[in-house]
């Protein structure tokens, strides 16, 4: 039976991901604030999700995600319908509620709870201040794999930086991080910025990690360039033409996927 993709990510996952790299020691988790709303959400969530689980499907999902986490076995369309049931009639959260929901969901082992938290943050990121960034970093570094990290990078961390450009300085720190998923998040955080992309920073990040041999960093470089190429194709072609020797073949191939070779018309 073909494995079912459990959650959509901004970028489809690689078809043959390498084994997860050895991760640096995790930082101390942020404190979980008290939240009556989070109590209600978690009570509902941990009732309706397990009831819909399927052990056989869960095994398929674990295999598809290279053993990144255990699963309940709830497919994405059903999970999203159940999430609407969980949230029915509840008020919009404050930042403390978002923090509590996210941290408590990520403290649970099954991946569907992590997906719920990421979806919840995507929906409510505008209710979070710059002070939420350490929480986002904790989520990025918890049971890290592309299925959660890429959503957090493009929609949560990116949303925080878009709302407070001063946080770009923190991304300058993240690009240097020894945790590849934190560095990947820095590369991808402008993925949805389009005309607002800080091209100099994007290109500098790509060059900063160009020598890394890690698949996920190389893929992120190519993906970020490809996405910016939809807005500024000439700039991306010029960057690749000037620095293609420093970039990995994977990064170059991904960057030019829809642009053609430098100096040619994209197809």
């Amino acid at each position: 039976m073909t494995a079912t993709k459990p959650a959509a990510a901004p970028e489809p996952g690689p078809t043959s991901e390498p084994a997860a790299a050895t991760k640096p020691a995790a930082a101390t988790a942020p404190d979980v604030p008290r939240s009556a709303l989070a109590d209600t959400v978690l009570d509902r969530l941990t009732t309706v999700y397990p009831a819909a689980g399927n052990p056989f499907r869960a095994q398929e999902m674990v295999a598809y995600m290279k053993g990144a986490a255990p699963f309940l076995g709830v497919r994405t369309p059903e999970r999203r319908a159940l999430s609407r049931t969980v949230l029915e009639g509840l008020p919009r959260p404050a930042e403390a509620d978002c923090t509590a929901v996210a941290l408590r969901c990520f403290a649970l082992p099954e991946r569907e709870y992590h997906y719920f938290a990421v979806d919840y943050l995507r929906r409510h990121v505008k209710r979070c201040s710059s002070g939420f960034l350490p929480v986002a970093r904790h989520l990025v570094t918890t049971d890290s794999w592309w299925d959660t990290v890429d959503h957090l990078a493009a929609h949560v961390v990116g949303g925080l930086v878009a709302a407070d450009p001063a946080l770009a300085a923190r991304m300058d720190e993240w690009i240097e991080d020894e945790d590849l998923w934190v560095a990947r998040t820095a590369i991808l955080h402008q993925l949805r910025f389009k005309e607002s992309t800080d091209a100099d920073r994007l290109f500098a990040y790509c060059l900063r990690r160009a020598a890394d041999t890690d698949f996920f960093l190389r893929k992120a470089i190519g993906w970020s360039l490809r996405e910016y190429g939809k807005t500024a194709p000439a700039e991306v072609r010029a960057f690749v033409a000037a620095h293609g020797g420093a970039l990995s073949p994977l990064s170059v191939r991904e960057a030019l996927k829809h642009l053609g070779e430098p100096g040619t018309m994209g197809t």
Side-chain angles (χ1 to χ4, degrees):
M1 183 178 292
T2 303
T4 302
K5 184 176 181 180
E11 164 88 340
T15 57
S16 57
E17 305 102 326
T22 301
K23 290 174 58 60
T28 303
D31 292 334
V32 179
R34 298 184 65 177
S35 165
L37 177 57
D39 291 342
T40 300
V41 169
L42 268 293
D43 285 346
R44 293 182 180 184
L45 188 64
T46 54
T47 299
V48 303
Y49 268 26
N54 181 311
F56 298 102
R57 192 178 302 131
Q59 293 178 12
E60 294 178 347
M61 292 175 170
V62 169
Y64 180 86
M65 298 307 301
K66 309 294 184 181
F71 281 82
L72 295 169
V74 183
R75 291 180 177 173
T76 297
E78 184 179 8
R79 176 176 58 79
R80 288 176 174 161
L82 292 172
S83 296
R84 289 192 290 271
T85 299
V86 168
L87 296 173
E88 185 175 2
L90 296 182
R92 291 190 297 173
E95 181 174 335
D97 302 315
C98 290
T99 299
V101 168
L103 293 177
R104 290 175 64 178
C105 283
F106 267 71
L108 298 172
E110 291 83 10
R111 200 62 159 182
E112 288 90 343
Y113 296 122
H114 301 191
Y115 294 155
F116 176 90
V118 173
D119 288 346
Y120 194 75
L121 293 179
R122 286 183 59 174
R123 182 177 180 182
H124 297 297
V125 66
K126 291 184 178 179
R127 304 185 69 78
C128 296
S129 71
S130 305
F132 190 80
L133 190 63
V135 177
R137 190 187 192 283
H138 174 74
L139 304 180
V140 165
T141 57
T142 299
D143 297 326
S144 307
W145 202 238
W146 61 266
D147 58 330
T148 54
V149 170
D150 293 355
H151 279 298
L152 290 166
H155 298 282
V156 180
V157 175
L160 295 172
V161 176
D164 181 5
L167 290 180
R170 299 295 301 278
M171 296 299 100
D172 293 344
E173 298 172 4
W174 286 25
I175 194 62
E176 304 289 343
D177 204 281
E178 62 180 345
D179 188 314
L180 73 91
W181 298 105
V182 174
R184 180 174 166 104
T185 298
I187 294 168
L188 296 178
H189 83 276
Q190 296 192 85
L191 208 62
R192 301 174 68 243
F193 281 24
K194 298 182 179 180
E195 294 83 359
S196 298
T197 298
D198 182 337
D200 289 341
R201 179 169 269 112
L202 170 62
F203 293 154
Y205 285 6
C206 292
L207 290 176
R208 173 63 188 85
R209 302 308 294 241
D212 280 87
T213 59
D214 181 80
F215 172 89
F216 288 102
L217 289 178
R218 290 182 167 187
K219 186 73 178 286
I221 289 169
W223 180 17
S224 64
L225 292 172
R226 185 174 81 240
E227 196 65 23
Y228 184 50
K230 296 175 183 178
T231 298
E235 287 84 345
V236 170
R237 285 196 191 96
F239 174 77
V240 173
H243 301 286
L247 301 172
S248 71
L250 171 62
S251 297
V252 172
R253 184 169 64 251
E254 290 293 316
L256 299 179
K257 184 175 288 186
H258 304 300
L259 293 179
E261 294 299 324
T264 68
M265 293 298 292
T267 57

